[in-house]
Amino acid sequence: MMAERTSHEAWHELAERELKASPDDLVWRTPEGIDVKPLYTEADLEGIRHLGTLPGMEPFLRGPRATMYAGRPWTIRQYAGFSTAKESNLFYRKALAAGQKGLSVAFDLATHRGYDSDHPRVEGDVGKAGVAIDSVEDMKILFDGIPLEEMSVSMTMNGAVIPILANFIVAGEEQGVAREKLSGTIQNDILKEFMVRNTYIYPPEPSMRIVADIIDYTAREMPKFNSISISGYHMQEAGATLVQELAFTLADGREYVRAALAKGLDVDAFAGRLSFFFAIGMNFFMEAAKLRAARLLWSRIMAEFQPKKPSSLMLRTHCQTSGVSLQEQDPYNNIVRTAYEALAAALGGTQSLHTNSFDEAIALPTEFSARIARNTQLILQHETGVTNVVDPLAGSYYVESLTNELAEKAWALIEEVEAMGGMTKAVASGLPKRMIEEAATRRQAAVDKGEEVIVGVNCYRLESEDRIDSRDIDNKAVRLAQVRRLEQIRRSRDDARVDATLAALEAVAAGGPGNILEAAVEAARARATVGEISDAMRRAFGDHTAKPEVVSRIYGKAYEGEPEFQTLAARLDAFAAVIGHRPRIMVAKLGQDGHDRGAKMIASAFGDIGFDVLAGPLFQTPAEAAEMALDAKVRVLGVSSLAAGHKTLLPQLIGELKARGGHEVIVVCGGVVPRQDYEFLFEQGVAAVFGPGTNVLEAGRAVLDLMEGKLRNVA
């Protein structure tokens, strides 16, 4: 060790001469609170206990399988779904023929929230950000010609998880595949929904019962099917640091295990069917280390429950490259970003992977962009040699040190959650949600200030952007087709049988004997719709409504002493003096889009700048948003759109404002909006559109310009 210290001192002196400054100045303080040094040595491995472990053996840090990709590469499982079941089926077939190995179904927001396509609240959502599924008949079309006894199917579904899984089971039966032969995964991770994604339906307690009933049913009836995919992905997408993503995801997993045990299940009966889902962002080595740390910590957590099977200690995971790292500006850069993220996932040891298409910051992916995303994985598997060696990063001074530090920091946060009484109580307190939103706001400030470089966005930006082709879904046509199918189903079914099965389901949900999923399968066989099954449970459980809360003094604090921020704040103060009060802006979410990172970010930052901000609740109709805005006497109504509903919902909103005499309200829009849609929105009366990558201070200046212009025109 003396030699080590001597050599390190010599390096320090050499580095200092090169830099003409201390190499300590090169230390990178990450958002996770980890100090990344410019040099790692053998000394950094002192005290790390996981060194020397092997893949396929406890604690499984180096992988759940002994041979990992050398024996079998990860599964290429691309997440996709759009428009109708027929269109999505054609897309799946082409992808499978081109080398994809598993299916991952994206459902539209109406389905996520348990509404049939003919419900008035989902007019702008049907078929837009996923496939519309209203009944078993849609599910049968979705998998037509795809042998479910051979194909692993992953379904991202949480709110309406009961009717969707029930429909899948019945569709398999009617394809001739018994439920015990079905393989795949249902997400079924409701705690994450209450934290970040917001596609919930019922309150937390009955939602946890649903989770437990699904674990119970699948353990008995579907031995090849993963009953839950515990997701950190949406946490990172909402702004969580990697430590937060790691800790809250594993704490969620611990809570679900306890819920299953409370049902009387043996841990070994279901532990092997639990899976995880992580995001892979641009911090390359830390993302790889995160997956290794996750396996280490999960084995520690599962050991608490004293399983008899070693496999019950394994963490199995699917990963997806980051959506939030994709940029509208210079979008072909996204191909490179996704490739690096995919490599990090592979080096971290994922079991399956989705790679995002480069155009997803703009619109739904085209077949062209989806092919590039899929081929990114095929090239990794077949051309780079990364599959030849198990856990090739093992032994790296940096990666092993990083794995250990991530594990320690995440464990400390897991223990903090445990001290609160577990994740359900922590979620109810709002702690995880608040921590994630604060982290997201800090990062946005760092990007806006240029402290975090995003190539093509805040650095090396193009003078002009070439238009790229994007997929556009005719929402009206899709909805009409779904409504016609619903009408046909309702005409042809036995209504008495439907009513009886729904009544039985409601009775089980209300506390009667039986399993909720089991009862729902009977209702699906009778051709009860997704909305009807969801409503039967709504009558027993009620709806969950979240009160919007916005963090403060995070964005503004990052700009303390900055002239740019102070100048804008002073301009706003001067405007407030003229009108006699702080100008009020409402930030709204329309339709069933629960992704509220952008809306919360704007609300928080604009509040720090000096606006009087009203954060509207999730899932408003245009009429509800217009009424709320006018009652609150707002000057500006900003709509956050991330699910492609803008061409339907924005014109409706402006029409509702005008019908109520709100001609003077300035309407602006932000989010994932293709540039070719801007002109359409302007023609409808939208005053400004702020796409992905917009600097928040620039948006603030633009909104203030609009208010000043409106005031001058009135005067």
Side-chain angles (χ1 to χ4, degrees):
M1 283 313 299
M2 181 59 72
E4 165 61 33
R5 277 193 289 271
T6 302
S7 62
H8 191 275
E9 288 166 1
W11 172 85
H12 195 280
E13 291 173 5
L14 182 61
E16 196 163 29
R17 285 200 299 272
E18 286 182 3
L19 292 170
K20 297 181 174 54
S22 172
D24 295 338
D25 295 343
L26 300 177
V27 171
W28 170 35
R29 181 79 170 176
T30 75
E32 291 74 20
I34 293 173
D35 290 332
V36 175
K37 302 182 295 183
L39 177 69
Y40 285 78
T41 69
E42 188 178 358
D44 292 291
L45 303 184
E46 285 185 25
I48 295 179
R49 289 179 292 176
H50 71 251
L51 302 176
T53 63
L54 293 170
M57 301 170 69
E58 191 178 348
F60 304 102
L61 179 145
R62 299 193 63 190
R65 303 295 180 202
T67 56
M68 290 298 291
Y69 308 146
R72 190 180 78 179
W74 66 88
T75 300
I76 299 172
R77 190 187 301 277
Q78 293 296 93
Y79 179 58
F82 56 89
S83 184
T84 63
K86 185 178 180 180
E87 289 293 318
S88 295
N89 174 264
L90 291 171
F91 188 86
Y92 293 160
R93 289 197 197 191
K94 287 180 182 178
L96 292 170
Q100 187 172 310
K101 298 301 183 185
L103 293 179
S104 182
V105 182
F107 298 95
D108 72 0
L109 290 167
T111 307
H112 272 288
R113 293 269 294 145
Y115 293 113
D116 289 332
S117 296
D118 58 357
H119 197 285
R121 299 195 72 85
V122 300
E123 186 177 345
D125 297 304
V126 177
K128 290 298 281 187
V131 60
I133 299 292
D134 290 317
S135 73
V136 169
E137 296 302 321
D138 287 331
M139 194 72 82
K140 286 166 68 176
I141 294 168
L142 187 66
F143 297 113
D144 182 45
I146 297 171
L148 291 177
E149 73 275 13
E150 300 172 10
M151 185 59 57
S152 173
V153 177
S154 173
M155 293 178 285
T156 299
M157 179 54 64
N158 301 283
V161 63
I162 287 289
I164 287 300
L165 187 50
N167 279 325
F168 177 70
I169 291 167
V170 176
E173 287 176 358
E174 297 186 8
Q175 197 186 86
V177 183
R179 54 185 175 270
E180 61 265 22
K181 294 181 179 179
L182 294 171
S183 65
T185 304
I186 190 80
Q187 190 160 98
N188 192 29
D189 176 7
I190 200 63
L191 289 173
K192 165 266 299 177
E193 298 296 326
F194 293 119
M195 278 190 274
V196 289
R197 192 165 178 254
N198 300 311
T199 52
Y200 45 70
I201 301 174
Y202 316 109
E205 285 192 13
S207 295
M208 287 296 291
R209 184 184 160 201
I210 288 170
V211 171
D213 273 20
I214 290 172
I215 295 173
D216 174 36
Y217 182 94
T218 53
R220 291 186 284 108
E221 305 286 341
M222 303 171 73
K224 297 172 65 178
F225 200 83
N226 295 327
S227 56
I228 190 167
S229 175
I230 305 150
S231 174
Y233 182 87
H234 303 98
M235 298 181 199
Q236 188 180 139
E237 290 291 281
T241 67
L242 270 62
V243 165
Q244 290 169 349
E245 180 192 9
L246 189 54
F248 294 147
T249 305
L250 297 181
D252 279 351
R254 180 192 254 170
E255 198 84 340
Y256 295 134
V257 171
R258 286 170 175 162
L261 294 175
K263 293 281 294 185
L265 293 176
D266 179 82
V267 65
D268 289 313
F270 66 86
R273 293 289 120 194
L274 305 177
S275 67
F276 287 81
F277 175 28
F278 289 105
I280 304 295
M282 286 297 288
N283 192 343
F284 184 86
F285 289 106
M286 192 172 289
E287 290 287 5
K290 179 185 74 182
L291 298 184
R292 305 172 88 246
R295 292 191 290 269
L296 175 70
L297 294 181
W298 186 243
S299 70
R300 185 187 302 179
I301 288 171
M302 288 305 294
E304 299 169 6
F305 303 108
Q306 301 179 336
K308 294 180 176 62
K309 295 179 181 177
S311 60
S312 295
L313 303 172
M314 291 180 185
L315 180 142
R316 306 157 181 82
T317 192
H318 170 73
C319 289
Q320 179 174 337
T321 59
S322 172
V324 78
S325 72
L326 303 176
Q327 305 298 328
E328 179 195 41
Q329 295 82 7
D330 206 357
Y332 292 110
N333 289 341
N334 294 332
I335 298 172
V336 182
R337 292 185 178 104
T338 295
Y340 285 135
E341 290 168 348
L343 179 58
L347 294 176
T350 189
Q351 277 72 67
S352 68
L353 180 62
H354 166 94
T355 35
N356 287 329
S357 300
F358 73 86
D359 52 357
E360 287 186 55
I362 303 163
L364 291 168
T366 62
E367 287 193 25
F368 170 72
S369 66
R371 176 171 61 85
I372 293 173
R374 183 176 58 250
N375 287 350
T376 299
Q377 294 196 54
L378 290 169
I379 290 166
L380 268 181
Q381 287 188 352
H382 295 290
E383 298 186 28
T384 64
V386 297
T387 61
N388 296 332
V389 176
V390 181
D391 190 22
L393 294 182
S396 159
Y397 300 142
Y398 176 37
V399 173
E400 297 289 15
S401 177
L402 202 53
T403 300
N404 186 64
E405 194 160 2
L406 277 168
E408 287 184 351
K409 285 186 177 293
W411 188 254
L413 188 49
I414 289 169
E415 291 294 272
E416 186 179 337
V417 167
E418 192 70 0
M420 297 178 73
M423 203 60 186
T424 304
K425 290 185 177 176
V427 168
S429 77
L431 174 72
K433 189 175 186 69
R434 186 176 67 255
M435 289 180 69
I436 291 170
E437 288 176 0
E438 287 176 353
T441 306
R442 285 191 198 94
R443 184 170 184 248
Q444 184 64 46
V447 171
D448 286 351
K449 292 174 70 179
E451 295 171 351
E452 182 177 335
V453 171
I454 309 291
V455 174
V457 177
N458 62 1
C459 194
Y460 310 111
R461 190 155 181 172
L462 295 175
E463 289 186 10
S464 62
E465 299 273 351
D466 293 332
R467 176 174 169 171
I468 65 168
D469 293 331
S470 61
R471 187 187 296 274
D472 188 28
I473 303 295
D474 186 345
N475 167 243
K476 290 182 180 177
V478 174
R479 189 167 186 263
L480 283 171
Q482 290 299 119
V483 170
R484 283 196 295 269
R485 186 176 298 281
L486 277 165
E487 290 170 349
Q488 184 181 358
I489 289 166
R490 289 168 182 153
R491 282 195 303 269
S492 60
R493 68 191 185 178
D494 182 340
D495 287 341
R497 184 186 172 197
V498 172
D499 292 343
T501 58
L502 290 173
L505 170 61
E506 186 179 344
V508 174
N515 181 286
I516 294 172
L517 177 57
E518 198 159 24
V521 168
E522 293 300 320
R525 285 196 187 107
R527 289 321 190 252
T529 66
V530 167
E532 290 167 339
I533 293 172
S534 300
D535 285 346
M537 292 189 290
R538 278 188 172 99
R539 289 191 290 274
F541 297 149
D543 280 281
H544 178 72
T545 303
K547 182 182 177 183
E549 295 181 1
V550 177
V551 300
S552 61
R553 294 184 293 278
I554 301 292
Y555 190 90
K557 187 177 179 182
Y559 272 95
E560 276 183 352
E562 297 278 346
E564 185 182 19
F565 185 91
Q566 291 174 333
T567 300
L568 177 58
R571 273 189 64 199
L572 194 63
D573 287 344
F575 183 81
V578 172
I579 64 174
H581 55 86
R582 287 197 300 155
R584 176 166 284 188
I585 178 172
M586 176 176 164
V587 181
K589 292 290 296 183
L590 302 181
Q592 301 306 306
D593 174 20
H595 295 84
D596 62 352
R597 174 178 177 164
K600 289 289 187 68
M601 188 86 63
I602 288 294
S604 178
F606 271 47
D608 286 359
I609 293 167
F611 288 89
D612 180 8
V613 179
L614 172 64
L618 291 169
F619 316 126
Q620 284 189 308
T621 64
E624 289 166 347
E627 185 174 0
M628 186 175 183
L630 293 173
D631 286 348
K633 296 181 172 56
V634 305
R635 288 181 173 268
V636 180
L637 176 50
V639 176
S640 172
S641 176
L642 280 86
H646 52 274
K647 290 177 74 173
T648 301
L649 297 169
L650 265 296
Q652 289 182 5
L653 174 67
I654 291 167
E656 293 287 349
L657 286 169
K658 288 178 178 176
R660 290 167 168 77
H663 299 77
E664 297 304 310
V665 177
I666 300 166
V667 177
V668 299
C669 178
V672 180
V673 180
R675 286 190 177 272
Q676 57 263 38
D677 291 351
Y678 284 21
E679 195 60 40
F680 169 82
L681 293 175
F682 294 149
E683 289 171 357
Q684 298 300 312
V686 175
V689 181
F690 304 105
T694 298
N695 183 292
V696 173
L697 288 189
E698 290 178 7
R701 280 192 292 269
V703 169
L704 180 53
D705 288 343
L706 288 169
M707 291 192 303
E708 289 175 337
K710 177 74 74 171
L711 189 65
R712 283 194 299 270
N713 289 338
V714 171

